[in-house]
Amino acid sequence: MTFPGLGGAADSLMARRPDGLIHGLDDKPQALTLAALGLQHFMVAAPNLAIVVMICRAAGVDAATAEGVLSFSLIVLAIATLVQCSRRLGSGYFIVACNSGIYLSASLAAAAGGLPVVCGMTLVAGIFQAFFASLLVRARRFFPNEIVALSIIIVGIEIGVIGLTRLSGAGVPGLVVGGATFFVSVVFGVFGRGSWRLYCSLLGMSCGYLMHLASGIPGPGSAGDAFSSALFGLPSFAHLKLEFDLGYLLPFLFAAVAASLKTMGAVDICARINDAAWVRPEIRAIRRGVLADGLSTALSGMFGSTGTNSSTSSVGVSHASGATSRVIGIAVAAWMLAFALSPAFTHLVVNLPDPVVGGTLVFTGCLVIANGFQILGTVPMDMRRAGVVAFPLLVAIARVANAPLFAQLPDSVKPLMSSALAIGVFTALLVNAFLSWGNARRATIALDPAHPVGEQLRRVERILREWNVAHNVKVRVMLTLRELLDEHASSLKLEFNGCTLHVNLTRTGSSQDAQTTPHGRFFSDRVSDAMARRKRADGSSVISLCFEQ
């Protein structure tokens, strides 16, 4: 028998390796292949090092100190990648860590107080994110996918605006160099094939660098000095100092929340890539992934660097290349450590010209915005969800544009409103809470044993479709109810708050009959996110199931 919305999902309870994977999650590629794949993923994440360079310049540190910051950034990223790939400590999926643009706006604001303030507040943000991971399941309902998408879109807007500001600092020649950097990245990203497409950001940076040298625009340093630097050497520890300023607390905390939401999405994508029979999000893997991400950000702050996060670009590359083995994370970490101990490499990155950095950030911002809209496209849109996205997005854009509204705020409030991300997410949470007030959907269905099970399931499916419940949740509910509905099932109660679907099935009959089902409990024990049974005084029992969207 088939059921609406069910398709062939009955076979999707056990993990099944997708046909397109060349090196699956538990595979071990050969040494040369492993080294090449590791270098490829490092090169994909390397353009994000420009974020560290920009924050160092905003903090007013000298080139030697910036090189030390960059080296420690790579060391922390290597540790974070290894932890994230661990099945015990992290998500267990191959996810590369990178310096994140999510913290860019907050870090640039804190840079006015110096690099120690940036590092101290980054440490606080990482600790908060690690704490947030422990509350992830309970707090998930307050952060639906539309708010996840909104936060990513706002991050992309902030990154793009900062990039435009940087590339315009050198006048018309700087605009030409920055524009060329952006244009070449777009051309190779859209029309390139294979490696040309994978390295589109690096190709754009290289082209911009060469144009900068040819234009004669004054830069922060000479590229030729990189080739005279030592090939290997230990980084400087002179910058390791922490300071704290509560005036920047709110932007960093909201950045940590946004980083958590992004990591949740990255882990979920990896689960889908590695399992052709994917049915539901792996809550435990997501929680460990967010915890590992928070600890890596805290470690980055302790070592005098900036916030970290999962590289969704690297996840996309692993999907496109068919290589998702967690062993590749070891190779990526090895390349990161090798470049961290190379003064020639860090010198070259630190001396990237502002127009090149700006053009790269504009391209990165566009990719981030596109990712946000891609997530938003998976949300069943209605007027409530549109309100949760539209108004906070307008408020965030007004903050980026320095609308006069924010200049009229009291001086005591202005530091809290310095980040468009903080304002946008905070406004979205308020709007979502207001529009969701009393919006929980409830339905009670009396089950008649005389009616076929298929007819009862179709009634349930119609209700879930009217409530805009996600497809994967509908599939899991149908599988579970197909197993539990029999002659002892008397009533079914459904409740949906926009994120979590609660199902309560009442079973009558003798005590033994009420506690057993004719088909066992294979599906109900595996596809629901939580399951509980309780007996009633009249001998009936209630099976309570929870499904996270």
Side-chain angles (χ1 to χ4, degrees):
M1 179 181 291
T2 60
F3 306 98
L6 191 59
D11 297 328
S12 60
L13 273 297
M14 306 302 291
R16 188 167 72 244
R17 177 176 175 141
D19 296 333
L21 284 188
I22 300 174
H23 300 290
L25 196 60
D26 298 311
D27 294 346
K28 296 181 180 179
Q30 295 182 355
L32 289 178
T33 303
L34 188 63
L37 290 172
L39 180 60
Q40 171 179 270
H41 282 275
F42 171 77
M43 299 298 280
V44 169
N48 283 49
L49 295 175
I51 294 173
V52 181
V53 175
M54 177 172 290
I55 294 173
C56 287
R57 291 178 185 172
V61 301
D62 56 63
T65 302
E67 291 177 20
V69 174
L70 199 64
S71 293
F72 276 105
S73 295
L74 288 169
I75 293 173
V76 171
L77 294 180
I79 298 173
T81 300
L82 291 174
V83 172
Q84 193 66 266
C85 294
S86 170
R87 284 178 289 186
R88 295 184 178 180
L89 303 177
S91 65
Y93 292 104
F94 172 47
I95 299 177
V96 177
C98 67
N99 293 103
S100 177
I102 290 177
Y103 292 96
L104 179 57
S105 179
S107 298
L108 288 177
L115 185 62
V117 176
V118 176
C119 299
M121 299 312 297
T122 300
L123 172 62
V124 173
I127 295 174
F128 175 79
Q129 186 178 354
F131 172 75
F132 182 75
S134 64
L135 305 175
L136 194 58
V137 176
R138 295 182 180 179
R140 179 68 179 88
R141 59 171 297 187
F142 300 106
F143 298 95
N145 284 342
E146 55 266 26
I147 294 184
V148 175
L150 173 68
S151 63
I152 294 175
I153 292 172
I154 295 175
V155 167
I157 292 174
E158 285 190 317
I159 294 174
V161 170
I162 292 170
L164 288 172
T165 303
R166 302 298 293 191
L167 65 85
S168 61
V172 176
L175 287 174
V176 173
V177 172
T181 303
F182 173 76
F183 178 75
V184 172
S185 300
V186 170
V187 168
F188 282 106
V190 174
F191 301 105
R193 294 292 183 270
S195 298
W196 294 105
R197 184 177 182 182
L198 291 179
Y199 306 140
C200 58
S201 294
L202 281 175
L203 292 169
M205 292 175 67
S206 301
C207 178
Y209 209 119
L210 293 175
M211 286 191 64
H212 178 269
L213 294 177
S215 66
I217 303 175
S222 172
D225 294 340
F227 300 102
S228 61
S229 302
L231 190 59
F232 291 101
L234 295 177
S236 170
F237 294 80
H239 69 284
L240 298 184
K241 183 180 179 182
L242 299 176
E243 293 181 6
F244 303 92
D245 189 336
L246 295 181
Y248 303 109
L249 180 62
L250 191 61
F252 274 92
L253 294 188
F254 275 102
V257 171
S260 301
L261 300 180
K262 184 183 175 186
T263 299
M264 290 169 57
V267 175
D268 193 37
I269 292 172
C270 286
R272 300 182 191 219
I273 293 173
N274 287 278
D275 184 6
W278 182 91
V279 173
R280 61 173 177 172
E282 299 182 39
I283 301 298
R284 292 182 180 179
I286 291 175
R287 185 189 296 115
R288 291 196 305 269
V290 174
L291 176 61
D293 191 57
L295 293 178
S296 66
T297 294
L299 185 64
S300 184
M302 289 179 60
F303 280 91
S305 188
T306 62
T308 66
N309 197 225
S310 56
S311 172
T312 51
S313 298
S314 180
V315 173
V317 169
S318 63
H319 185 199
S321 62
T324 62
S325 171
R326 60 172 62 93
V327 180
I328 303 174
I330 300 176
V332 177
W335 283 110
M336 288 177 173
L337 290 175
F339 284 109
L341 301 177
S342 173
F345 175 78
T346 56
H347 183 88
L348 189 64
V349 175
V350 165
N351 287 286
L352 280 174
D354 273 354
V356 176
V357 174
T360 303
L361 289 179
V362 172
F363 179 69
T364 302
C366 292
L367 293 180
V368 173
I369 293 173
N371 289 336
F373 278 111
Q374 187 176 14
I375 295 175
L376 192 61
T378 65
V379 177
M381 193 58 64
D382 53 26
M383 287 302 295
R384 185 188 68 82
R385 291 186 173 96
V388 171
V389 174
F391 178 67
L393 182 59
L394 285 175
V395 173
I397 293 174
R399 173 66 273 185
V400 172
N402 291 320
L405 167 67
F406 297 97
Q408 300 173 8
L409 295 174
D411 292 338
S412 58
V413 180
K414 287 181 180 179
L416 303 178
M417 300 293 177
S418 61
S419 169
L421 176 63
I423 296 173
V425 173
F426 181 69
T427 305
L429 292 175
L430 292 180
V431 173
N432 183 56
F434 175 75
L435 296 181
S436 299
W437 184 266
N439 197 43
R441 309 288 186 90
R442 296 179 178 87
T444 301
I445 302 174
L447 302 175
D448 187 351
H451 292 167
V453 173
E455 179 181 337
Q456 296 171 345
L457 288 175
R458 280 189 286 272
R459 292 176 60 191
V460 174
E461 196 274 339
R462 283 195 297 269
I463 293 173
L464 298 184
R465 186 173 62 248
E466 292 174 359
W467 291 355
N468 281 328
V469 176
H471 177 71
N472 77 83
V473 175
K474 288 190 289 187
V475 169
R476 290 188 281 149
V477 172
M478 303 294 279
L479 286 171
T480 304
L481 293 182
R482 176 65 184 89
E483 179 180 80
L484 297 178
L485 294 183
D486 58 13
E487 66 274 11
H488 298 292
S490 61
S491 67
L492 182 67
K493 292 183 178 180
L494 305 173
E495 182 176 346
F496 182 58
N497 59 17
C499 184
T500 305
L501 177 67
H502 296 277
V503 178
N504 292 314
L505 176 66
T506 302
R507 296 173 55 79
T508 58
S510 66
S511 176
Q512 182 177 1
D513 290 337
Q515 296 297 318
T516 59
T517 62
H519 304 293
R521 297 194 305 273
F522 181 82
F523 292 123
S524 57
D525 286 343
R526 288 167 172 80
V527 302
S528 62
D529 293 299
M531 179 179 179
R533 289 175 177 267
R534 67 178 187 274
K535 295 181 181 178
R536 287 180 170 176
D538 59 1
S540 64
S541 68
V542 177
I543 301 176
S544 298
L545 300 159
C546 174
F547 299 87
E548 294 288 342
Q549 182 162 284

